[in-house]
Amino acid sequence: MFSAEQSCWFVRKVVCWRAAASIAWAVLLLPPVTALFVVLSRVSLFHPIQWITECLSILTSASTMFSFVLLCGVVVVVGYFNLEYYTVTPSIACSKIALLAQLLHPRQFVHSLVHCIMGVIVAWCCAITIGPRYQNFASLCTLADGDPQLCLNEYHLVLVLFGAFVGYSHSLFGVMHNMNYVPFHAVQQYKYLRFKGNLPLVVKCSAIQSLYFTRNYLGVYFFLGYIPRSWLCNTLSLQLNSSLHPLDSVAGLLDLSMLYHLWISGTFLLLTWYLTVLLFRVFVTEVYNFPVQATFAEQANRCLPKVLPGQQPMILKFLALQDLALLSQHSPSRRVQVFSLSQPGGHPHNWNAISSECLSLLADLTQRLVAHHETVAINGRAKLHSAGSDKKSISTDSSGLSMTQDISTPRSSGVIHTPVSVFLRSSVASAAQNPLTAPFTPDLDSPFSSPALRRLAPHLEPTSPWSDTVQSPHIMRRGPKLWSASTDSQTSGSLSPSPSSALSPHPAVSKPSPLAQFLHNRKEQVKHFLARRVLIMYLFNKLPEASSQALFADSQSHIWALEGLSHLVAASFSEDKFGVVQTTLPSILGIMLVLQEAVDRHFKLPHASSKPLRSACSMGDCTYKTLRFALRATLKTAIYRITTTFGQHLNAIKMSAEHRKRLQQFLEYKE
């Protein structure tokens, strides 16, 4: 396994240096961006010579140099936050309350506060360079009585507060659109070409979002602008210039020059931050070549077979899987090392380590899909049952305990459960050992789940003969289905219950105390009461589209595992001299076929096959929303790649009748 010390080495030697390189390039790009901002902020088409002269004098002034130093510090801080908050698996909120919890998280509060302060600094630097109208916080003015007084420069206040507003909005916008998500592109490009291709999008997004932020800020300042203005005047003993319209009025906010300067300042702020984000993504996701076999003993733990089973950091696992997918396609010399045998001993350690980790990832994804499908099936039956039992009343006895009428016909909470594959691991074990593929959280854990669902699910014990089968011996004798798996077996760490455990009697269950029963019923009453509130249900109801996206949030790793396995298996037909791949070929085909049927069943669910709408212009990458479609296409392509290479030779492989039937469809190009 990849130890914590070695993981820290990778972060320190690779990730941190790449982040530092991205920050350095962002600082180098700051002078031309600043010069462009000065030119656009002091534009004067009717006096071009004066315009150019003023821009040159401002760019060479001491105040601009000091502002540039502050801007460099802001860029460094933004780059540091990119390094601290980045993730390769997006965080998808499956409900409104989950999104609200993300926004109110203390870690997010620190992020918003720091970006708000940095927005103030950038806006102050913009006020220094724009011109005398915004430079000073206070200026001399003549009041109605003719005495000169020190008055508040509200234009400077508006611009500085606008910087704080843009910084805070940028932080919240990043949470809602997963700005910290670092995507890996399918097409490999040089860093310069990738940066050049994304630069127009960065400029466009900066300008459009600055326009939206300006509109929102004007509305906020129109209603609440008097609060900071009055507080500053009272605290610093400043006066208001009565000869000017207050800027929290309609006449004050319709100043076109001020609106233009607000928009161009917000564009400059967002452009510098987005360039830092773009450079960080380009540098961090650059391909890293792991050696398949170590030349020296101290490099043994840095080889691809040793790195793949590691879990932390996740960027390391993703880069290793990316390297595996690339070497399986474009590097014959490295493929030979994968197929090689150890000396002495003659064991295929490299192939065993790589194939077992890839199969483990695919098996864990299959279990998540099966668990999600069974949860949806249980919820559907619960809804049908609750629709038929709406007329049943709930009676309360003298002690305040609510009693619900029993269901007239007993019904099992489970469906026909059969093992998926002997290569699948339990979801509990995979959650503890592999955070990359943590199982999907079912709706049963929701505090406001359907009461009928709770009546259906918990009445059966895990050892009950009816817990994993429908209450009919005829149905119990039916053959296993390829796609289904036992929920109880997942939680118990076994894929299929043994006959002895299925026929074992009920264990003795201790009756809860009256106090515990009373507290439980009170808790249920509160849940039922809150479940009838529209706002509560709006916050706690799960979003179907988001739930499907969360299932496939880390599917980029599964796509690389499928590509790597399929290309290696196809290449082994002519390159595997020792036949190491042939020993695991039945397992690989079995896992892929089971996953393919689980994916097909998932796409039959509502909202799973609907493609998400195109979002507004944003730096947040939305490719994770369509990962399930990419996974389905990659899975089918991987199976076809193997069947096309081996052809009728696959008929000699031992497999179940269900697997052979589905494999024959691929061999005949009917899938």
Side-chain angles (χ1 to χ4, degrees):
M1 285 295 179
F2 209 70
S3 64
E5 181 180 356
Q6 293 153 356
S7 300
C8 292
W9 171 88
F10 183 82
V11 173
R12 184 174 65 254
K13 296 293 185 180
V14 179
V15 179
C16 289
W17 276 106
R18 291 184 174 186
S22 67
I23 294 174
W25 277 105
V27 172
L28 290 177
L29 290 175
L30 194 56
V33 175
T34 305
L36 180 63
F37 166 72
V38 172
V39 171
L40 294 178
S41 62
R42 302 183 69 89
V43 60
S44 178
L45 299 178
F46 298 103
H47 305 86
I49 299 178
Q50 181 182 359
W51 175 26
I52 296 175
T53 304
E54 289 181 354
C55 291
L56 291 177
S57 62
I58 290 175
L59 290 174
T60 56
S61 62
S63 59
T64 303
M65 296 298 177
F66 178 72
S67 301
F68 180 75
V69 173
L70 292 179
L71 292 176
C72 290
V74 169
V75 169
V76 172
V77 175
V78 171
Y80 172 78
F81 271 84
N82 291 337
L83 178 61
E84 287 294 322
Y85 283 75
Y86 84 95
T87 179
V88 292
T89 55
S91 176
I92 302 175
C94 294
S95 62
K96 300 293 184 180
I97 195 66
L99 179 60
L100 185 61
Q102 293 180 5
L103 296 175
L104 299 179
H105 195 275
R107 182 178 173 89
Q108 177 59 30
F109 174 77
V110 174
H111 187 274
S112 301
L113 179 62
V114 173
H115 278 75
C116 186
I117 296 174
M118 291 191 298
V120 171
I121 295 175
V122 175
W124 183 84
C125 295
C126 294
I128 294 298
T129 57
I130 287 178
R133 189 182 189 185
Y134 302 91
Q135 280 183 349
N136 300 319
F137 179 73
S139 60
L140 290 176
C141 63
T142 303
L143 300 181
D145 54 3
D147 296 333
Q149 294 288 337
L150 196 62
C151 297
L152 175 68
N153 185 5
E154 195 172 358
Y155 289 101
H156 181 92
L157 176 64
V158 166
L159 186 57
V160 171
L161 291 179
F162 176 69
F165 181 83
V166 172
Y168 185 75
S169 301
H170 168 77
S171 179
L172 297 185
F173 200 77
V175 176
M176 298 174 61
H177 294 272
N178 279 295
M179 285 282 294
N180 60 337
Y181 169 58
V182 177
F184 289 82
H185 288 260
V187 180
Q188 301 299 319
Q189 291 179 304
Y190 290 107
K191 294 190 291 293
Y192 170 73
L193 295 178
R194 186 176 170 189
F195 174 79
K196 179 182 177 182
N198 287 277
L199 185 58
L201 176 63
V202 172
V203 176
K204 177 183 176 181
C205 290
S206 301
I208 293 178
Q209 289 186 15
S210 177
L211 191 63
Y212 287 140
F213 289 160
T214 303
R215 178 200 62 184
N216 299 338
Y217 173 73
L218 294 178
V220 172
Y221 193 83
F222 178 79
F223 292 101
L224 304 176
Y226 70 94
I227 297 177
R229 183 183 61 196
S230 302
W231 179 78
L232 288 173
C233 290
N234 295 331
T235 304
L236 302 178
S237 300
L238 298 176
Q239 303 295 325
L240 291 176
N241 194 346
S242 57
S243 61
L244 299 176
H245 291 285
L247 296 184
D248 59 345
S249 61
V250 176
L253 292 178
L254 290 180
D255 188 344
L256 297 182
S257 176
M258 184 191 69
L259 295 178
Y260 173 75
H261 286 137
L262 289 178
W263 173 73
I264 198 68
S265 299
T267 304
F268 171 71
L269 184 151
L270 293 175
L271 182 60
T272 55
W273 292 1
Y274 285 164
L275 284 176
T276 309
V277 173
L278 174 61
L279 289 168
F280 179 79
R281 292 177 179 177
V282 170
F283 275 87
V284 168
T285 58
E286 185 183 4
V287 177
Y288 187 87
N289 292 325
F290 295 90
V292 179
Q293 292 180 343
T295 307
F296 303 99
E298 57 270 13
Q299 297 179 352
N301 290 326
R302 302 174 187 177
C303 298
L304 187 62
K306 298 293 184 180
V307 170
L308 274 178
Q311 305 302 332
Q312 295 296 334
M314 295 304 300
I315 183 68
L316 172 60
K317 193 175 187 70
F318 272 64
L319 288 175
L321 289 169
Q322 182 188 43
D323 185 42
L324 173 64
L326 293 177
L327 80 86
S328 65
Q329 302 177 48
H330 310 295
S331 182
S333 60
R334 300 178 71 192
R335 289 199 300 263
V336 171
Q337 295 179 346
V338 174
F339 301 143
S340 63
L341 302 179
S342 63
Q343 296 297 332
H347 300 288
H349 293 308
N350 294 336
W351 168 252
N352 290 340
I354 292 174
S355 61
S356 62
E357 180 61 26
C358 293
L359 292 178
S360 174
L361 288 175
L362 301 180
D364 290 336
L365 177 61
T366 304
Q367 282 201 343
R368 285 189 344 212
L369 293 175
V370 170
H372 176 66
H373 190 276
E374 291 183 351
T375 303
V376 172
I378 292 175
N379 290 340
R381 290 195 299 270
K383 289 180 180 179
L384 291 177
H385 170 76
S386 60
S389 60
D390 284 340
K391 298 181 180 180
K392 295 183 179 181
S393 60
I394 300 176
S395 60
T396 305
D397 57 4
S398 58
S399 61
L401 301 179
S402 61
M403 303 296 293
T404 309
Q405 291 185 356
D406 296 334
I407 305 174
S408 58
T409 303
R411 182 176 298 180
S412 170
S413 63
V415 294
I416 302 178
H417 301 292
T418 57
V420 176
S421 172
V422 295
F423 302 100
L424 295 182
R425 302 183 304 182
S426 67
S427 61
V428 176
S430 64
Q433 299 175 4
N434 193 355
L436 177 67
T437 56
F440 177 78
T441 303
D443 288 338
L444 290 172
D445 295 336
S446 174
F448 301 106
S449 58
S450 173
L453 174 60
R454 290 193 299 272
R455 291 196 299 269
L456 282 173
H459 286 307
L460 298 178
E461 300 297 332
T463 57
S464 173
W466 304 109
S467 61
D468 287 329
T469 55
V470 178
Q471 297 181 9
S472 173
H474 302 285
I475 300 180
M476 290 173 61
R477 288 195 294 267
R478 291 178 62 181
K481 290 186 178 180
L482 181 64
W483 62 271
S484 60
S486 173
T487 305
D488 295 330
S489 63
Q490 294 172 9
T491 58
S492 61
S494 175
L495 291 174
S496 59
S498 61
S500 59
S501 62
L503 298 177
S504 60
H506 290 274
V509 180
S510 60
K511 186 177 181 180
S513 63
L515 179 60
Q517 186 68 24
F518 173 79
L519 295 177
H520 174 74
N521 288 329
R522 288 300 181 184
K523 180 181 178 181
E524 293 299 318
Q525 288 180 352
V526 173
K527 288 182 180 180
H528 295 166
F529 173 78
L530 294 177
R532 299 189 185 98
R533 309 279 81 81
V534 178
L535 179 60
I536 298 297
M537 296 305 298
Y538 171 78
L539 293 176
F540 282 89
N541 278 344
K542 287 194 173 183
L543 306 175
E545 179 68 20
S547 300
S548 182
Q549 293 173 10
L551 272 173
F552 297 89
D554 58 347
S555 288
Q556 183 60 63
S557 61
H558 304 100
I559 292 174
W560 283 328
L562 287 168
E563 291 179 349
L565 273 181
S566 60
H567 280 287
L568 287 176
V569 171
S572 69
F573 188 78
S574 58
E575 299 178 9
D576 185 10
K577 300 179 181 180
F578 305 102
V580 298
V581 177
Q582 312 307 318
T583 59
T584 54
L585 186 56
S587 304
I588 295 173
L589 288 175
I591 291 291
M592 287 186 178
L593 291 174
V594 171
L595 178 59
Q596 199 261 345
E597 187 162 355
V599 170
D600 288 346
R601 292 193 66 86
H602 177 79
F603 273 87
K604 295 178 181 179
L605 297 176
H607 306 284
S609 59
S610 59
K611 291 189 176 182
L613 299 176
R614 297 184 62 181
S615 59
C617 185
S618 168
M619 277 295 293
D621 195 279
C622 298
T623 55
Y624 65 89
K625 295 182 179 180
T626 57
L627 276 178
R628 60 186 185 273
F629 301 99
L631 176 71
R632 181 174 63 171
T634 303
L635 177 58
K636 187 172 294 187
T637 303
I639 300 176
Y640 269 121
R641 185 178 293 117
I642 297 175
T643 56
T644 303
T645 302
F646 286 86
Q648 298 301 323
H649 296 287
L650 297 177
N651 293 328
I653 297 178
K654 294 182 179 180
M655 60 178 61
S656 64
E658 288 284 348
H659 286 182
R660 189 168 300 280
K661 181 179 179 181
R662 294 190 62 84
L663 187 63
Q664 190 63 32
Q665 294 179 350
F666 282 94
L667 290 172
E668 297 175 357
Y669 298 96
K670 294 181 179 179
E671 183 63 33

